[in-house]
Structures are given as structure tokens and as C-alpha cells.
């Protein structure tokens, strides 16, 4: 089950809210999930493709 990388919120599979979650693939192949709130907060980092440790 996807869990937000930043706030550790757990995604409830099978709900319409699942469609609003963001996933990104790290260069090493790992997948990170972000809840809608964290995705909005970190939009600039996501679009700039900054490394996960940037924050």
C-alpha cells in the first residue's frame, strides 16, 4: 500500500482519492509516493527534479 514519503500518510486503495497521489521513480529504480498535500508543497522540487535529500 503506498505511503507518503514525507508525512507517512497511508493511501487508501480503491478510493477516488488514490488518483490524486503522485509517484516518482528514483534513478536507482525505487518508487516514492507523495500524498496530494505534500505533492503541492513540494511541487517546485518535483518539477526541478531535485534529489530527495534536498528539502
Amino acid at each position: 500500500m503506498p505511503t507518503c514519503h514525507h508525512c507517512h500518510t497511508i493511501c487508501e486503495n480503491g478510493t477516488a482519492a488514490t488518483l490524486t497521489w503522485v509517484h516518482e521513480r528514483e534513478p536507482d529504480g525505487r518508487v516514492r509516493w507523495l500524498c496530494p498535500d505534500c505533492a503541492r508543497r513540494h511541487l517546485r522540487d518535483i518539477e526541478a527534479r531535485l534529489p530527495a535529500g534536498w528539502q
Side-chain angles (χ1 to χ4, degrees):
M1 199 170 332
T3 303
C4 181
H5 179 76
H6 290 284
C7 70
H8 306 290
T9 300
I10 297 173
C11 179
E12 296 179 24
N13 285 333
T15 65
T18 304
L19 299 173
T20 61
W21 279 63
V22 174
H23 78 279
E24 54 187 359
R25 187 169 305 276
E26 294 292 322
D28 63 2
R30 291 181 301 167
V31 175
R32 292 184 348 162
W33 287 91
L34 294 174
C35 70
D37 292 334
C38 288
R40 273 192 294 279
R41 263 193 307 277
H42 298 282
L43 182 62
R44 182 180 293 168
D45 304 345
I46 294 168
E47 289 186 351
R49 304 283 303 154
L50 294 174
W54 167 249
Q55 306 170 8

